[in-house]
Amino acid sequence: MIKAGARWLLVVTLLGLPASLPAIAAERQGTALEEVIVTARRRAENIQETPIAVSALSGDDLRERGLGNVQDLAKVVPSLEVMKNRSSAIFIRGVGERTGFARVDPAVGVYLDDLFLPRADGQLLDTVDVSSIQVLRGPQGTLFGKNTTGGAMVMSLLKPSDTVEGYLDVGMGNRGLRRAKASINFPITDHLFMKIAANTIKDDGYIEDELVGTTRGGDNDRQSLITQLRWDISSTMSLDAFAYYGRVNEQIATDHCNVINENSLFMRGLYIMWAGDTDPQNPRAFKENCESNSREVQGDFNTRIGPNPYMKRDLESAVVAGTLQWELSEYHTIKAVMGLRGAEKGPQWLGDNDGGPAKYSESYGVSFLDPDQKSQRDSLSLELQFNGSTQSENLSYTLGLFGMRETNEEPFSLFTALAGLDLENLSKLATSQAPGPTTNPAGTTPMVGTLTPISYSQFGLENITFAAFGQASWHLTDLWEVTAGVRYTSEKRSSDLTVYQSDVDAVSQRLATSGFFGPGAGGFNPFNGTWAGIPGLGDPVTIANSLFPDTNGDGLPDYPFDLANPRYYERSETFSKTTPMGSLSYSFSDGLLDSAGLDSGLFYLTWSFGFKSGFFEPRGIDGLERVEPETVENRELGLKLEALNRSLRVNLAAYSMDFDEMQLIQVKQDSAGNNAVIFQNAGASSIVGGEIEVQWIPVPSLNINFAYSNNNYSYEDYKDADLFTQAIGQGVVLNDRSDEPFQVSPQDNASIGIQYTAETGVGRITPRLDVRYRSERYFGIDNTAYDAYRRDPLASGDEPFTVVDMRLGWENPEGSTAVTLYVNNAFDERYLSNSGGVGDSIGTNTGSLAPPRSYGVDVRWVY
């Protein structure tokens, strides 16, 4: 663990490293580090000569470190956070998007062989046949453009060749883990080559539901197949094409629940009575339901949610893409990248707002009119690039055009069970007064009902994007280089929303004809009895809900829908932005290198800009509201050094970013009083931070990797409407939320890896140790959740944690067989993989723990 008081001491020490390098004895220098080639500027160049903060890992690096998918990159890349539960979320330097809703774009652009993958739910790919992954930090709005306010992740496949070769990896581990990867490469003709790679991984999960039994959540169940073709059409023209198919069918890791605000609207704020409540002076059912599923009651990896047919992460996706490259001359190349992507996402449980086994308030990515309906997501894109340089190579440039059409369909259903209010409190709400304990301790009249027990929304989205971009780098001298670029993006977003609601009159009529309730008015029916209920039948709310049995088996009461009166909304608008960039870099002169004891050095200053489109946000029955585009402006200073005969590499970056119109998820109410999970803009904010990456081979057999980032996040202007005053009809009161931390991303992120290689008579033995540290993280989404977090970080966040992974590998002298034993999370550290605290309306925080200690063995054969 890195102590906060020592973090900058470490940076200063490394900044002062060049002055001390000449004193290090030459015999202690290790083997030179391999040259790393990146394409961060859309052309191949040495990472140490690229004025961008970029981390790059080869396929061998990924395998040696046990990084099996994109999510694992967060273990080693500074400022990177990746979450996976109901949806995937990638954050770089605190910039990201956590919901996975189709209507809002991710903030980190992901590319596979230059093809842009627009949706977050298809971005957490397993690293199958990957030659390299590059993580570009900071806004990349010029060359990569769309949805890169946080940065970009660029993955490249290992291309087919003219050699017959392949490999087979198999693995087994605890919790029933079994996995396999295989690849074969072969030539079809002298100019046409093919490669086929497949991957499968399954395990039994690690979270058990007390009410279900042996079913486990948080499992892995993924399969993928990639087929590649490479056609050398001529000496100057080639075509690379791939077809990808992926299938995910995993059980969602169910959450624990803890109460963070007893005065929330759903608890004592409105004095709502839920099924099980019998005392209008002290409604407790909602709170006790959450507490029954708390970590304190259930233990670390046991929850109490109950059966649910939509607990699966069900995603099927396919991609077909091709890249045509034509070398016009020694100095000019044209590249065309075209791709077609389709995905189907199955019905899914999105959130358990009440946090426990009772069905009080939940949200689903499900059509209750057609429960088997899948969410369809399709995109077609084309990018043209023209890359060139002058014969003297003192000027290099890239010009390009990008176009994409994307369509998304997304069902969303919000369920809120029938609930109760005492007549006295119902009368207070009607006159905009705050509810409270009744003046008559015995209660007055129980009123049961709701405005909308179920609402169903069908959301459709079409995005048509066009962009033109250019960037050029000019060597003013042999040492100085200036780079300038600009991109223009125009995105037309057309959205339509159809909303179906419960038939309130039909609900009220069924209550009234049951004999238990009188005629209703305003959505509520009086109970013919007291809050104590009827012996053998239960309290008034329980009786009311029992009148709507679950006849279709979806786990929810079947309230009648008003199908004859849907609400339809439609909006269309074009969002456009010009995103420039500029940088100035200086390559150290030979004299400066010699005096500092360095082998290479690069200093750079960069100014860059990122843009993420606005969109239209469904807000319950109120239709579509506009959310403004978000922008990030970055000013960055960087230093890249190599020393000790290139056995030591040190890269540093310091930056200051202005983040405007940040798109944040909130919980609000629509005009009918329904909770709506919506996005709003958060005015202005800023990010100031620094990063360092170190690679060192002190002796030929020892390899050390170190990474550290410190990011300080602050809101400059963030005001949010108070939910309680709105709910009781007292108007809009704004809360100042500028003192809150950013969501998900920690301030400090550090990792160190140490690998030793011993050559023996029986082969190569390689032990490896990896340690990663995270400072505390905040997962709340409203101001009351932050109040709870300040009292106790575990109430709506996570405490600092350190995780240790260990590996021991053996490879035979021929290099054809390798066996690796591993233990991940060796000391069984407890930390969150996902969480969300909502204090104002629901008053609960729900979240799931990351996997406990895991261990296993991998075997690899190369042929």
Side-chain angles (χ1 to χ4, degrees):
M1 180 180 295
I2 297 176
K3 300 295 184 182
R7 67 170 71 105
W8 291 114
L9 177 62
L10 174 65
V11 174
V12 171
T13 301
L14 289 166
L15 283 171
L17 187 61
S20 62
L21 292 177
I24 299 179
E27 60 269 18
R28 294 181 61 190
Q29 299 171 11
T31 305
L33 291 161
E34 291 185 2
E35 182 182 29
V36 177
I37 302 299
V38 296
T39 55
R41 296 198 289 180
R42 296 289 197 180
R43 60 179 184 268
E45 49 189 354
N46 189 321
I47 191 172
Q48 297 304 108
E49 299 171 0
T50 305
I52 294 176
V54 54
S55 300
L57 295 100
S58 68
D60 290 339
D61 292 333
L62 297 170
R63 187 173 61 256
E64 288 178 357
R65 301 185 188 193
L67 307 178
N69 54 58
V70 170
Q71 185 181 12
D72 289 340
L73 295 176
K75 296 179 179 181
V76 298
V77 176
S79 297
L80 176 66
E81 290 295 315
V82 183
M83 292 198 316
K84 170 193 167 187
N85 192 13
R86 292 167 179 82
S87 62
S88 14
I90 303 175
F91 287 75
I92 297 179
R93 295 179 177 175
V95 184
E97 198 285 301
R98 66 188 288 186
T99 68
F101 288 133
R103 61 186 181 268
V104 58
D105 292 335
V108 176
V110 177
Y111 293 79
L112 179 62
D113 270 6
D114 285 330
L115 179 70
F116 175 62
L117 304 178
R119 292 296 113 201
D121 50 24
Q123 292 177 343
L124 295 190
L125 303 172
D126 292 311
T127 54
V128 182
D129 241 24
V130 169
S131 65
S132 70
I133 298 180
Q134 304 166 48
V135 180
L136 286 60
R137 301 187 294 278
Q140 302 294 325
T142 302
L143 288 180
F144 293 92
K146 184 174 169 64
N147 304 343
T148 56
T149 47
M153 190 175 293
V154 181
M155 295 178 285
S156 299
L157 295 171
L158 197 61
K159 301 297 185 293
S161 66
D162 60 356
T163 304
V164 177
E165 58 186 1
Y167 65 83
L168 172 64
D169 288 348
V170 297
M172 297 182 65
N174 64 325
R175 296 191 292 275
L177 173 67
R178 55 272 192 205
R179 60 185 172 196
K181 291 183 183 180
S183 174
I184 182 170
N185 179 93
F186 55 91
I188 299 175
T189 70
D190 291 342
H191 302 285
L192 183 64
F193 321 115
M194 175 176 277
K195 174 175 281 192
I196 302 173
N199 173 72
T200 180
I201 178 170
K202 289 186 177 184
D203 63 38
D204 298 333
Y206 62 97
I207 294 180
E208 185 171 343
D209 192 308
E210 176 190 273
L211 300 180
V212 177
T214 57
T215 300
R216 288 182 176 268
D219 67 329
N220 291 287
D221 188 353
R222 302 186 299 277
Q223 295 80 41
S224 59
L225 176 68
I226 299 178
T227 300
Q228 294 187 75
L229 282 174
R230 180 175 180 85
W231 180 21
D232 290 334
I233 302 172
S234 69
S235 60
T236 59
M237 185 179 293
S238 63
L239 174 66
D240 287 296
F242 74 86
Y244 167 87
Y245 173 79
R247 185 77 173 90
V248 179
N249 188 24
E250 298 173 337
Q251 186 83 5
I252 294 172
T254 50
D255 299 329
H256 289 115
C257 182
N258 61 285
V259 175
I260 60 176
N261 180 24
E262 291 190 29
N263 294 315
S264 66
L265 297 183
F266 280 19
M267 295 188 200
R268 298 179 67 87
L270 296 180
Y271 274 74
I272 294 175
M273 305 287 283
W274 300 92
D277 274 323
T278 59
D279 181 4
Q281 304 291 105
N282 186 26
R284 296 186 53 83
F286 198 94
K287 175 185 176 183
E288 291 175 350
N289 177 63
C290 168
E291 291 176 335
S292 73
N293 189 36
S294 68
R295 187 174 167 189
E296 289 73 20
V297 171
Q298 295 296 324
D300 285 346
F301 299 109
N302 194 72
T303 62
R304 195 169 187 266
I305 295 294
N308 190 316
Y310 305 123
M311 287 296 294
K312 287 288 187 180
R313 186 187 301 108
D314 179 10
L315 178 67
E316 190 172 11
S317 57
V319 181
V320 178
T323 300
L324 180 67
Q325 185 162 303
W326 181 18
E327 296 181 8
L328 300 176
S329 68
E330 182 181 353
Y331 303 101
H332 297 93
T333 301
I334 290 179
K335 181 187 287 188
V337 183
M338 185 173 182
L340 177 64
R341 177 180 181 268
E344 284 188 342
K345 188 174 183 179
Q348 183 175 303
W349 183 53
L350 298 178
D352 182 20
N353 301 328
D354 56 74
K359 304 297 183 184
Y360 292 151
S361 178
E362 301 183 350
S363 56
Y364 296 83
V366 177
S367 165
F368 283 125
L369 303 183
D370 179 10
D372 295 325
Q373 177 185 343
K374 293 192 174 184
S375 173
Q376 189 71 34
R377 305 183 176 189
D378 301 310
S379 62
L380 172 66
S381 64
L382 174 64
E383 182 166 345
L384 300 175
Q385 298 175 23
F386 178 76
N387 295 288
S389 66
T390 59
Q391 291 188 6
S392 61
E393 297 187 356
N394 65 341
L395 178 66
S396 301
Y397 45 87
T398 297
L399 303 172
L401 298 172
F402 173 82
M404 186 180 77
R405 180 180 183 270
E406 180 188 13
T407 58
N408 295 286
E409 296 177 359
E410 190 168 54
F412 178 81
S413 295
L414 180 65
F415 166 81
T416 302
L418 293 178
L421 274 172
D422 188 86
L423 179 59
E424 184 177 320
N425 279 326
L426 190 60
S427 300
K428 287 182 179 180
L429 286 174
T431 56
S432 299
Q433 299 179 62
T438 59
T439 55
N440 178 4
T444 56
T445 303
M447 304 294 292
V448 176
T450 185
L451 296 178
T452 51
I454 288 182
S455 64
Y456 161 61
S457 303
Q458 179 65 43
F459 187 73
L461 175 69
E462 180 186 58
N463 299 337
I464 298 178
T465 306
F466 169 79
F469 58 92
Q471 184 170 301
S473 298
W474 179 28
H475 284 278
L476 303 173
T477 68
D478 289 341
L479 303 179
W480 289 94
E481 181 189 73
V482 62
T483 300
V486 66
R487 186 185 191 102
Y488 171 77
T489 302
S490 174
E491 182 158 284
K492 181 180 180 181
R493 298 182 81 103
S494 301
S495 301
D496 61 79
L497 174 67
T498 305
V499 180
Y500 297 90
Q501 290 185 279
S502 303
D503 189 333
V504 176
D505 292 338
V507 172
S508 181
Q509 184 178 7
R510 188 178 299 185
L511 292 176
T513 57
S514 68
F516 297 110
F517 298 87
F524 283 85
N525 292 62
F527 181 62
N528 298 326
T530 68
W531 280 115
I534 299 175
L537 295 178
D539 58 273
V541 180
T542 297
I543 293 171
N545 280 290
S546 69
L547 300 176
F548 301 89
D550 174 23
T551 57
N552 61 7
D554 64 1
L556 297 173
D558 293 336
Y559 298 108
F561 268 103
D562 183 5
L563 300 179
N565 299 291
R567 290 183 171 92
Y568 182 77
Y569 309 89
E570 186 175 10
R571 292 192 67 173
S572 180
E573 186 172 339
T574 298
F575 299 89
S576 60
K577 193 72 175 179
T578 299
T579 50
M581 68 79 59
S583 73
L584 178 67
S585 63
Y586 171 73
S587 298
F588 289 13
S589 64
D590 291 341
L592 181 57
L593 293 174
D594 291 341
S595 63
L598 297 170
D599 299 309
S600 73
L602 177 75
F603 171 82
Y604 68 87
L605 292 168
T606 294
W607 172 71
S608 59
F609 207 89
F611 160 74
K612 184 157 79 86
S613 176
F615 56 97
F616 302 110
E617 177 71 358
R619 183 166 180 159
I621 69 167
D622 299 330
L624 296 168
E625 296 185 357
R626 174 188 165 110
V627 177
E628 297 296 327
E630 69 176 30
T631 59
V632 176
E633 181 182 7
N634 179 44
R635 296 162 295 276
E636 185 167 321
L637 179 154
L639 184 63
K640 298 188 175 188
L641 307 171
E642 287 183 319
L644 302 178
N645 291 333
R646 300 187 186 275
S647 65
L648 174 65
R649 185 174 293 154
V650 181
N651 292 341
L652 304 101
Y655 41 86
S656 173
M657 299 196 290
D658 294 331
F659 197 170
D660 291 332
E661 302 294 350
M662 187 177 186
Q663 298 167 356
L664 285 178
I665 189 72
Q666 299 294 321
V667 175
K668 297 296 177 186
Q669 286 193 325
D670 63 16
S671 58
N674 299 301
N675 280 342
V677 180
I678 68 169
F679 277 84
Q680 289 187 321
N681 296 106
S685 55
S686 65
I687 304 169
V688 178
E691 299 159 345
I692 181 169
E693 288 186 284
V694 179
Q695 293 176 274
W696 188 22
I697 304 180
V699 294
S701 56
L702 184 63
N703 196 325
I704 300 173
N705 305 93
F706 173 76
Y708 171 73
S709 61
N710 172 265
N711 289 285
N712 295 275
Y713 314 108
S714 61
Y715 293 106
E716 309 297 334
D717 179 17
Y718 186 17
K719 293 182 175 62
D720 192 18
D722 184 79
L723 189 59
F724 180 77
T725 55
Q726 282 186 302
I728 64 175
Q730 291 185 354
V732 176
V733 176
L734 295 179
N735 295 318
D736 185 358
R737 300 182 59 184
S738 58
D739 62 338
E740 294 184 19
F742 276 21
Q743 302 169 5
V744 176
S745 296
Q747 179 174 320
D748 296 301
N749 172 330
S751 65
I752 185 168
I754 303 173
Q755 180 172 301
Y756 182 80
T757 302
E759 301 288 352
T760 71
V762 296
R764 176 179 298 171
I765 298 176
T766 307
R768 181 177 179 89
L769 175 70
D770 284 284
V771 181
R772 71 183 187 276
Y773 164 78
R774 296 291 186 275
S775 61
E776 64 183 39
R777 298 174 294 170
Y778 172 61
F779 289 105
I781 67 173
D782 61 21
N783 57 322
T784 308
Y786 177 57
D787 291 340
Y789 175 77
R790 286 191 298 180
R791 295 191 300 268
D792 176 10
L794 289 179
S796 192
D798 205 3
E799 291 182 319
F801 64 88
T802 302
V803 175
V804 177
D805 297 340
M806 296 185 289
R807 300 174 65 83
L808 178 62
W810 168 83
E811 185 179 76
N812 69 346
E814 297 76 23
S816 60
T817 303
V819 179
T820 302
L821 304 174
Y822 66 87
V823 181
N824 293 330
N825 194 3
F827 295 100
D828 213 19
E829 183 81 350
R830 299 290 188 262
Y831 62 100
L832 291 172
S833 65
N834 179 70
S835 183
V838 183
D840 291 341
S841 58
I842 303 166
T844 65
N845 177 73
T846 56
S848 56
L849 290 169
R853 180 190 297 116
S854 62
Y855 50 86
V857 58
D858 292 331
V859 182
R860 178 180 176 87
W861 293 277
V862 179
Y863 53 92

